Amino acid sequence: MTQKNYQLPELSYGYGELSPFISEEQLKLHHDKHHLAYVNGANSLLEKLAKARQENSDLDLKAALKELSFHLGGHVLHSLFWRNLAPVAKGGGGEPAGILAEKINNEFGDFQRFKKEFTQAALTVEGSGWAALGQSLDDGRLLVMQIEKHNINLLPQFKILLVLDLWEHAYYLDYKNERAKFIEVFWKIVSWSEAEKKFTYA
Ligand code: MN
């Protein structure tokens, strides 16, 4: 049985719609080139695995699985990241509502404290990586994650509700190497609806 290949998802907004926070050129490059490279990378690894199975041949599994984790992690995180953003006119920039808001208040104290912790995590990601808000599948707790590359420091059994891409490729055209500026901008176009959908009341 052949599984369907991974595909680059379309954005639910136009490339220019996040401007002036993220320019059209920056978003297009990020989505069409960088994200696509992870989609292609993951598919090529799946093909390698399938081919080795068909031929019943050996593969350097250590290397293949490491690469797969990187590319597939990149694809999944980018796919979520696009849904975590919205133009201001379409709900970007707000705070979470409903039970997710309650849970954030219970666990972090209030939204401002959560924002501070998430911002700190984002600022201090070593090299390339992500800040994420995760929810435990075991007990429902919320924790901030600091993911290195696309696949390191992930907490097992945590569902990712919200991510922020801190790779320089996410912001270098607009903000050069000034990560802090990009993080400030994120709060202006963050959209909570996807996180609210993914959050499970526990
Ligand atoms: Mn990226």
Side-chain angles (χ1 to χ4, degrees):
M1 196 183 76
T2 319
Q3 295 280 347
K4 213 174 159 222
N5 279 350
Y6 294 107
Q7 286 185 334
L8 186 68
E10 277 186 29
L11 302 179
S12 63
Y13 36 82
Y15 289 113
E17 278 192 86
L18 297 180
S19 138
F21 307 111
I22 298 176
S23 68
E24 178 167 357
E25 190 187 11
Q26 176 72 78
L27 185 58
K28 201 165 195 314
L29 191 73
H30 194 180
H31 178 262
D32 290 7
K33 301 289 180 202
H34 292 287
H35 185 170
L36 182 64
Y38 301 123
V39 172
N40 292 339
N43 286 332
S44 125
L45 264 295
L46 289 186
E47 274 163 35
K48 263 192 208 170
L49 285 168
K51 189 162 174 276
R53 285 173 193 155
Q54 264 168 13
E55 296 169 348
N56 199 19
S57 62
D58 286 327
L59 192 69
D60 181 350
L61 270 177
K62 184 183 173 188
L65 296 179
K66 191 173 178 179
E67 256 193 87
L68 180 62
S69 158
F70 177 80
H71 287 287
L72 185 50
H75 169 51
V76 170
L77 290 174
H78 281 95
S79 300
L80 178 58
F81 181 50
W82 309 131
R83 298 196 300 274
N84 288 156
L85 300 175
V88 175
K90 294 180 182 170
E95 294 186 12
I99 49 170
L100 176 56
E102 272 173 45
K103 184 78 172 174
I104 285 176
N105 291 340
N106 289 342
E107 299 229 11
F108 292 89
D110 57 26
F111 181 74
Q112 287 311 314
R113 175 68 207 187
F114 158 75
K115 190 175 163 184
K116 189 177 166 184
E117 279 186 34
F118 192 95
T119 297
Q120 278 293 308
L123 265 174
T124 58
V125 170
E126 200 172 297
S128 299
W130 302 74
L133 174 65
Q135 183 184 24
S136 168
L137 295 170
D138 295 324
D139 61 12
R141 89 173 56 223
L142 297 176
L143 281 175
V144 170
M145 257 187 262
Q146 195 181 49
I147 303 165
E148 287 180 24
K149 297 185 181 173
H150 301 309
N151 51 342
I152 298 168
N153 276 358
L154 285 165
L155 296 168
Q157 283 289 86
F158 272 71
K159 172 170 55 176
I160 297 178
L161 306 178
L162 182 84
V163 284
L164 169 57
D165 191 341
L166 284 323
W167 283 59
E168 274 190 9
H169 72 214
Y171 57 86
Y172 63 94
L173 288 182
D174 292 337
Y175 302 101
K176 305 279 190 309
N177 60 337
E178 296 189 81
R179 183 185 280 185
K181 283 193 184 165
F182 177 60
I183 297 169
E184 257 180 66
V185 150
F186 171 68
W187 296 114
K188 297 188 167 127
I189 46 173
V190 64
S191 165
W192 284 96
S193 59
E194 185 71 19
E196 286 160 5
K197 257 187 266 168
K198 293 189 86 180
F199 175 76
T200 322
Y201 186 75

PDB file of all heavy atoms in Angstrom, residues 122-145:
ATOM      1  N   ALA A 122      11.336  32.055  23.137  1.00  0.00           N
ATOM      2  CA  ALA A 122      11.580  32.359  21.719  1.00  0.00           C
ATOM      3  C   ALA A 122      12.912  33.087  21.528  1.00  0.00           C
ATOM      4  O   ALA A 122      13.696  32.769  20.642  1.00  0.00           O
ATOM      5  CB  ALA A 122      10.427  33.196  21.167  1.00  0.00           C
ATOM      6  N   LEU A 123      13.166  34.049  22.407  1.00  0.00           N
ATOM      7  CA  LEU A 123      14.390  34.845  22.311  1.00  0.00           C
ATOM      8  C   LEU A 123      15.644  34.005  22.476  1.00  0.00           C
ATOM      9  O   LEU A 123      16.670  34.290  21.874  1.00  0.00           O
ATOM     10  CB  LEU A 123      14.395  35.906  23.417  1.00  0.00           C
ATOM     11  CG  LEU A 123      13.879  37.288  23.081  1.00  0.00           C
ATOM     12  CD1 LEU A 123      13.842  38.135  24.350  1.00  0.00           C
ATOM     13  CD2 LEU A 123      14.756  37.961  22.018  1.00  0.00           C
ATOM     14  N   THR A 124      15.544  32.995  23.315  1.00  0.00           N
ATOM     15  CA  THR A 124      16.750  32.262  23.714  1.00  0.00           C
ATOM     16  C   THR A 124      16.900  30.904  23.033  1.00  0.00           C
ATOM     17  O   THR A 124      17.763  30.125  23.425  1.00  0.00           O
ATOM     18  CB  THR A 124      16.786  32.073  25.243  1.00  0.00           C
ATOM     19  OG1 THR A 124      15.593  31.377  25.659  1.00  0.00           O
ATOM     20  CG2 THR A 124      16.849  33.409  25.971  1.00  0.00           C
ATOM     21  N   VAL A 125      16.073  30.613  22.018  1.00  0.00           N
ATOM     22  CA  VAL A 125      16.300  29.374  21.265  1.00  0.00           C
ATOM     23  C   VAL A 125      17.716  29.425  20.705  1.00  0.00           C
ATOM     24  O   VAL A 125      18.117  30.423  20.103  1.00  0.00           O
ATOM     25  CB  VAL A 125      15.311  29.237  20.076  1.00  0.00           C
ATOM     26  CG1 VAL A 125      15.719  28.083  19.170  1.00  0.00           C
ATOM     27  CG2 VAL A 125      13.888  29.040  20.576  1.00  0.00           C
ATOM     28  N   GLU A 126      18.467  28.347  20.950  1.00  0.00           N
ATOM     29  CA  GLU A 126      19.854  28.332  20.499  1.00  0.00           C
ATOM     30  C   GLU A 126      19.912  28.021  19.009  1.00  0.00           C
ATOM     31  O   GLU A 126      19.404  26.985  18.579  1.00  0.00           O
ATOM     32  CB  GLU A 126      20.605  27.271  21.301  1.00  0.00           C
ATOM     33  CG  GLU A 126      22.096  27.449  21.293  1.00  0.00           C
ATOM     34  CD  GLU A 126      22.749  26.491  22.269  1.00  0.00           C
ATOM     35  OE1 GLU A 126      22.490  26.602  23.481  1.00  0.00           O
ATOM     36  OE2 GLU A 126      23.499  25.624  21.801  1.00  0.00           O
ATOM     37  N   GLY A 127      20.483  28.911  18.221  1.00  0.00           N
ATOM     38  CA  GLY A 127      20.552  28.680  16.775  1.00  0.00           C
ATOM     39  C   GLY A 127      19.173  28.751  16.167  1.00  0.00           C
ATOM     40  O   GLY A 127      18.423  29.684  16.418  1.00  0.00           O
ATOM     41  N   SER A 128      18.829  27.749  15.376  1.00  0.00           N
ATOM     42  CA  SER A 128      17.551  27.733  14.688  1.00  0.00           C
ATOM     43  C   SER A 128      16.570  26.849  15.438  1.00  0.00           C
ATOM     44  O   SER A 128      16.928  25.771  15.886  1.00  0.00           O
ATOM     45  CB  SER A 128      17.735  27.168  13.282  1.00  0.00           C
ATOM     46  OG  SER A 128      18.628  27.974  12.558  1.00  0.00           O
ATOM     47  N   GLY A 129      15.345  27.323  15.569  1.00  0.00           N
ATOM     48  CA  GLY A 129      14.365  26.499  16.269  1.00  0.00           C
ATOM     49  C   GLY A 129      13.041  27.202  16.417  1.00  0.00           C
ATOM     50  O   GLY A 129      12.733  28.146  15.687  1.00  0.00           O
ATOM     51  N   TRP A 130      12.271  26.759  17.381  1.00  0.00           N
ATOM     52  CA  TRP A 130      10.895  27.192  17.552  1.00  0.00           C
ATOM     53  C   TRP A 130      10.576  27.375  19.034  1.00  0.00           C
ATOM     54  O   TRP A 130      11.143  26.677  19.874  1.00  0.00           O
ATOM     55  CB  TRP A 130       9.926  26.121  17.030  1.00  0.00           C
ATOM     56  CG  TRP A 130      10.096  25.742  15.595  1.00  0.00           C
ATOM     57  CD1 TRP A 130      11.103  24.985  15.064  1.00  0.00           C
ATOM     58  CD2 TRP A 130       9.231  26.078  14.507  1.00  0.00           C
ATOM     59  NE1 TRP A 130      10.906  24.847  13.704  1.00  0.00           N
ATOM     60  CE2 TRP A 130       9.765  25.490  13.340  1.00  0.00           C
ATOM     61  CE3 TRP A 130       8.047  26.812  14.404  1.00  0.00           C
ATOM     62  CZ2 TRP A 130       9.162  25.624  12.094  1.00  0.00           C
ATOM     63  CZ3 TRP A 130       7.452  26.937  13.164  1.00  0.00           C
ATOM     64  CH2 TRP A 130       8.012  26.350  12.019  1.00  0.00           C
ATOM     65  N   ALA A 131       9.636  28.262  19.311  1.00  0.00           N
ATOM     66  CA  ALA A 131       8.975  28.260  20.612  1.00  0.00           C
ATOM     67  C   ALA A 131       7.593  27.671  20.379  1.00  0.00           C
ATOM     68  O   ALA A 131       6.983  27.897  19.327  1.00  0.00           O
ATOM     69  CB  ALA A 131       8.858  29.672  21.163  1.00  0.00           C
ATOM     70  N   ALA A 132       7.114  26.906  21.345  1.00  0.00           N
ATOM     71  CA  ALA A 132       5.813  26.256  21.168  1.00  0.00           C
ATOM     72  C   ALA A 132       5.067  26.194  22.486  1.00  0.00           C
ATOM     73  O   ALA A 132       5.678  26.156  23.560  1.00  0.00           O
ATOM     74  CB  ALA A 132       6.008  24.844  20.605  1.00  0.00           C
ATOM     75  N   LEU A 133       3.759  26.201  22.380  1.00  0.00           N
ATOM     76  CA  LEU A 133       2.915  25.916  23.532  1.00  0.00           C
ATOM     77  C   LEU A 133       2.366  24.513  23.324  1.00  0.00           C
ATOM     78  O   LEU A 133       1.747  24.228  22.295  1.00  0.00           O
ATOM     79  CB  LEU A 133       1.752  26.924  23.622  1.00  0.00           C
ATOM     80  CG  LEU A 133       0.715  26.631  24.714  1.00  0.00           C
ATOM     81  CD1 LEU A 133       1.324  26.735  26.115  1.00  0.00           C
ATOM     82  CD2 LEU A 133      -0.489  27.581  24.598  1.00  0.00           C
ATOM     83  N   GLY A 134       2.642  23.646  24.291  1.00  0.00           N
ATOM     84  CA  GLY A 134       2.196  22.261  24.175  1.00  0.00           C
ATOM     85  C   GLY A 134       1.241  21.890  25.287  1.00  0.00           C
ATOM     86  O   GLY A 134       1.260  22.485  26.370  1.00  0.00           O
ATOM     87  N   GLN A 135       0.409  20.915  24.985  1.00  0.00           N
ATOM     88  CA  GLN A 135      -0.502  20.393  26.007  1.00  0.00           C
ATOM     89  C   GLN A 135      -0.277  18.895  26.166  1.00  0.00           C
ATOM     90  O   GLN A 135      -0.276  18.148  25.175  1.00  0.00           O
ATOM     91  CB  GLN A 135      -1.965  20.643  25.623  1.00  0.00           C
ATOM     92  CG  GLN A 135      -2.906  20.162  26.726  1.00  0.00           C
ATOM     93  CD  GLN A 135      -4.381  20.291  26.376  1.00  0.00           C
ATOM     94  OE1 GLN A 135      -4.761  20.312  25.222  1.00  0.00           O
ATOM     95  NE2 GLN A 135      -5.215  20.346  27.407  1.00  0.00           N
ATOM     96  N   SER A 136      -0.122  18.461  27.412  1.00  0.00           N
ATOM     97  CA  SER A 136       0.107  17.049  27.682  1.00  0.00           C
ATOM     98  C   SER A 136      -1.133  16.227  27.343  1.00  0.00           C
ATOM     99  O   SER A 136      -2.250  16.570  27.723  1.00  0.00           O
ATOM    100  CB  SER A 136       0.454  16.847  29.153  1.00  0.00           C
ATOM    101  OG  SER A 136       0.408  15.455  29.459  1.00  0.00           O
ATOM    102  N   LEU A 137      -0.909  15.125  26.616  1.00  0.00           N
ATOM    103  CA  LEU A 137      -2.008  14.208  26.315  1.00  0.00           C
ATOM    104  C   LEU A 137      -2.351  13.371  27.538  1.00  0.00           C
ATOM    105  O   LEU A 137      -3.401  12.752  27.602  1.00  0.00           O
ATOM    106  CB  LEU A 137      -1.613  13.276  25.160  1.00  0.00           C
ATOM    107  CG  LEU A 137      -1.380  13.951  23.810  1.00  0.00           C
ATOM    108  CD1 LEU A 137      -0.751  12.980  22.818  1.00  0.00           C
ATOM    109  CD2 LEU A 137      -2.692  14.510  23.253  1.00  0.00           C
ATOM    110  N   ASP A 138      -1.454  13.341  28.524  1.00  0.00           N
ATOM    111  CA  ASP A 138      -1.692  12.510  29.711  1.00  0.00           C
ATOM    112  C   ASP A 138      -2.526  13.247  30.753  1.00  0.00           C
ATOM    113  O   ASP A 138      -3.490  12.700  31.264  1.00  0.00           O
ATOM    114  CB  ASP A 138      -0.349  12.089  30.332  1.00  0.00           C
ATOM    115  CG  ASP A 138       0.444  11.174  29.402  1.00  0.00           C
ATOM    116  OD1 ASP A 138      -0.197  10.352  28.706  1.00  0.00           O
ATOM    117  OD2 ASP A 138       1.671  11.288  29.354  1.00  0.00           O
ATOM    118  N   ASP A 139      -2.124  14.481  31.081  1.00  0.00           N
ATOM    119  CA  ASP A 139      -2.855  15.160  32.158  1.00  0.00           C
ATOM    120  C   ASP A 139      -3.363  16.553  31.771  1.00  0.00           C
ATOM    121  O   ASP A 139      -3.885  17.273  32.618  1.00  0.00           O
ATOM    122  CB  ASP A 139      -1.984  15.228  33.425  1.00  0.00           C
ATOM    123  CG  ASP A 139      -0.699  16.009  33.190  1.00  0.00           C
ATOM    124  OD1 ASP A 139      -0.580  16.683  32.145  1.00  0.00           O
ATOM    125  OD2 ASP A 139       0.207  15.945  34.043  1.00  0.00           O
ATOM    126  N   GLY A 140      -3.205  16.914  30.508  1.00  0.00           N
ATOM    127  CA  GLY A 140      -3.784  18.168  30.038  1.00  0.00           C
ATOM    128  C   GLY A 140      -2.977  19.415  30.358  1.00  0.00           C
ATOM    129  O   GLY A 140      -3.355  20.510  29.956  1.00  0.00           O
ATOM    130  N   ARG A 141      -1.867  19.265  31.093  1.00  0.00           N
ATOM    131  CA  ARG A 141      -1.119  20.471  31.484  1.00  0.00           C
ATOM    132  C   ARG A 141      -0.529  21.176  30.265  1.00  0.00           C
ATOM    133  O   ARG A 141      -0.272  20.560  29.235  1.00  0.00           O
ATOM    134  CB  ARG A 141      -0.035  20.123  32.499  1.00  0.00           C
ATOM    135  CG  ARG A 141       1.306  19.743  31.889  1.00  0.00           C
ATOM    136  CD  ARG A 141       2.371  19.567  32.962  1.00  0.00           C
ATOM    137  NE  ARG A 141       1.939  18.572  33.949  1.00  0.00           N
ATOM    138  CZ  ARG A 141       2.090  18.717  35.278  1.00  0.00           C
ATOM    139  NH1 ARG A 141       2.653  19.803  35.767  1.00  0.00           N
ATOM    140  NH2 ARG A 141       1.690  17.761  36.095  1.00  0.00           N
ATOM    141  N   LEU A 142      -0.316  22.477  30.411  1.00  0.00           N
ATOM    142  CA  LEU A 142       0.295  23.276  29.350  1.00  0.00           C
ATOM    143  C   LEU A 142       1.745  23.567  29.715  1.00  0.00           C
ATOM    144  O   LEU A 142       2.040  23.903  30.863  1.00  0.00           O
ATOM    145  CB  LEU A 142      -0.441  24.613  29.206  1.00  0.00           C
ATOM    146  CG  LEU A 142      -1.906  24.585  28.791  1.00  0.00           C
ATOM    147  CD1 LEU A 142      -2.469  26.004  28.793  1.00  0.00           C
ATOM    148  CD2 LEU A 142      -2.089  23.951  27.425  1.00  0.00           C
ATOM    149  N   LEU A 143       2.639  23.443  28.736  1.00  0.00           N
ATOM    150  CA  LEU A 143       4.033  23.823  28.953  1.00  0.00           C
ATOM    151  C   LEU A 143       4.569  24.524  27.714  1.00  0.00           C
ATOM    152  O   LEU A 143       4.150  24.228  26.591  1.00  0.00           O
ATOM    153  CB  LEU A 143       4.892  22.584  29.235  1.00  0.00           C
ATOM    154  CG  LEU A 143       4.845  21.996  30.649  1.00  0.00           C
ATOM    155  CD1 LEU A 143       5.653  20.703  30.696  1.00  0.00           C
ATOM    156  CD2 LEU A 143       5.384  22.982  31.685  1.00  0.00           C
ATOM    157  N   VAL A 144       5.476  25.443  27.938  1.00  0.00           N
ATOM    158  CA  VAL A 144       6.180  26.065  26.824  1.00  0.00           C
ATOM    159  C   VAL A 144       7.336  25.155  26.437  1.00  0.00           C
ATOM    160  O   VAL A 144       8.039  24.635  27.296  1.00  0.00           O
ATOM    161  CB  VAL A 144       6.687  27.471  27.203  1.00  0.00           C
ATOM    162  CG1 VAL A 144       7.628  28.023  26.135  1.00  0.00           C
ATOM    163  CG2 VAL A 144       5.508  28.423  27.387  1.00  0.00           C
ATOM    164  N   MET A 145       7.492  24.941  25.161  1.00  0.00           N
ATOM    165  CA  MET A 145       8.583  24.119  24.646  1.00  0.00           C
ATOM    166  C   MET A 145       9.526  25.007  23.843  1.00  0.00           C
ATOM    167  O   MET A 145       9.084  25.951  23.189  1.00  0.00           O
ATOM    168  CB  MET A 145       8.029  23.079  23.670  1.00  0.00           C
ATOM    169  CG  MET A 145       7.902  21.692  24.218  1.00  0.00           C
ATOM    170  SD  MET A 145       7.432  20.571  22.863  1.00  0.00           S
ATOM    171  CE  MET A 145       5.681  20.483  23.125  1.00  0.00           C
TER     172      MET A 145
END
